[in-house]
Amino acid sequence: MKFSNATAGISLYFSHWGRNDQGAGSVSAEKTCSVSLEQYGIKGGVLLPLSHKITGDFSGCLRLNRATADYHNTMPQAPLLSSSFSSNGYEMALSTRFLFNISPTLIVIPYVRGEYFKYHPELSYSPIIYLSVPYPNEYWKKKVEFGCGALHHFSKGLVSGGISFQYISLTNDATTKNGNLPQLTHYSRSFLNFPTFQAGVEYALTPWLTGRTGFFKRLTCQTTHTDPPPPLNPTESSTTVELPFVPAYGLSAQEQTLSLGLGISLGNVSINTYVAEQVIGSGTYLLSGIQQSIFGIVSLSYKL
């Protein structure tokens, strides 16, 4: 939608990923394990021309997340017959970018972005004797990032790359038992990522089908701080790590080191997907024997 010189847009999306292990993958023959992740989101943004060569891009989003997991053991003598996990949370993000048109095919883009994420997990066990910690855990994630990238268009697609600075803070308040009394332990972990390299390619395979691939690499300084209940003393440790090239399970679309995706355009309707990192790491059902969703995120957009 256009308002004077500005262009505004709003998108809604839903994503779902599921995995079901029945005597394959992560569990043995007498066990089953199922996992599902769902995400609902709304995103809005404004493009505002500031001069004939500079455009401002201001956006924000809100996402609601839900994760569930169930484990069952069919052997009656097993100490743990079943367990379930559920987690609900929300995520907010704000972003500002400036697009400098250096030439008709080259754009340079400095940016700054902030994110906040919080969720609350719940656990249950059978037999009930395993429910020794019935108290809540709460998790927070804060992220600040700024950097600069470049985008080059060619006849059938584009090539992009960039470098950035990231600061990520993770916090966990865990309540456990001390006799019959609850006690709180505060955990915090921070990541200072610099440099962070990103590169991507998008290529039009047909007039309506687009293929995408991306690469992500970072050098991380990690600090862990634990603040236990008295009389224990706080502890802190630091280390520098480099993430591997092969994707690790559990990384999000923004954090995985290697990604693949597809885009489908049908008139004013666009469907965009990326291949789940677990599929890249372990292969499809024919190779791994694990039932899992091929796509990690599927988004649907309509152009007004």
Side-chain angles (χ1 to χ4, degrees), residues 96-290:
T96 298
R97 305 187 304 169
F98 295 96
L99 288 70
F100 292 83
N101 294 279
I102 306 302
S103 73
T105 61
L106 179 62
I107 304 175
V108 175
I109 310 169
Y111 69 92
V112 60
R113 178 166 54 227
E115 298 179 7
Y116 179 80
F117 177 79
K118 182 179 180 180
Y119 71 97
H120 176 79
E122 296 181 354
L123 292 166
S124 62
Y125 300 88
S126 178
I128 197 66
I129 190 173
Y130 278 87
L131 194 60
S132 59
V133 187
Y135 297 103
N137 279 267
E138 288 189 309
Y139 295 84
W140 294 267
K141 175 183 175 181
K142 301 174 184 177
K143 178 179 178 181
V144 176
E145 177 181 356
F146 62 86
C148 187
L151 179 68
H152 173 68
H153 290 269
F154 56 93
S155 59
K156 285 196 172 184
L158 58 86
V159 178
S160 65
I163 185 171
S164 66
F165 167 93
Q166 290 181 341
Y167 176 78
I168 302 173
S169 174
L170 305 176
T171 305
N172 171 216
D173 284 345
T175 305
T176 57
K177 266 188 173 183
N178 182 15
N180 292 322
L181 299 176
Q183 59 182 13
L184 177 67
T185 301
H186 180 82
Y187 302 93
S188 64
R189 181 178 297 176
S190 63
F191 302 86
L192 184 61
N193 301 323
F194 184 80
T196 297
F197 299 101
Q198 302 176 68
V201 177
E202 180 178 294
Y203 188 80
L205 302 173
T206 71
W208 55 272
L209 181 63
T210 301
R212 302 186 179 100
T213 183
F215 172 71
F216 181 97
K217 193 69 173 178
R218 67 187 178 195
L219 185 66
T220 299
C221 178
Q222 174 180 309
T223 302
T224 302
H225 180 86
T226 302
D227 192 6
L232 300 177
N233 296 319
T235 61
E236 185 170 294
S237 63
S238 298
T239 184
T240 300
V241 297
E242 184 178 4
L243 291 181
F245 178 78
V246 179
Y249 293 167
L251 293 179
S252 71
Q254 290 75 28
E255 295 169 327
Q256 62 185 4
T257 54
L258 180 65
S259 62
L260 299 172
L262 291 173
I264 301 173
S265 180
L266 302 172
N268 291 335
V269 177
S270 298
I271 302 173
N272 294 282
T273 69
Y274 85 88
V275 178
E277 63 269 12
Q278 292 206 10
V279 174
I280 300 176
S282 63
T284 61
Y285 175 77
L286 294 177
L287 296 175
S288 63
I290 301 172

Side-chain angles (χ1 to χ4, degrees), residues 61-83:
C61 73
L62 172 65
R63 287 188 281 263
L64 303 178
N65 308 294
R66 176 172 172 80
T68 62
D70 291 285
Y71 164 86
H72 295 279
N73 192 326
T74 59
M75 298 181 64
Q77 68 272 26
L80 178 61
L81 297 179
S82 66
S83 63

Side-chain angles (χ1 to χ4, degrees), residues 1-8 46-49:
M1 294 182 291
K2 288 186 175 292
F3 302 93
S4 184
N5 292 329
T7 302
V46 176
L47 283 173
L48 179 64

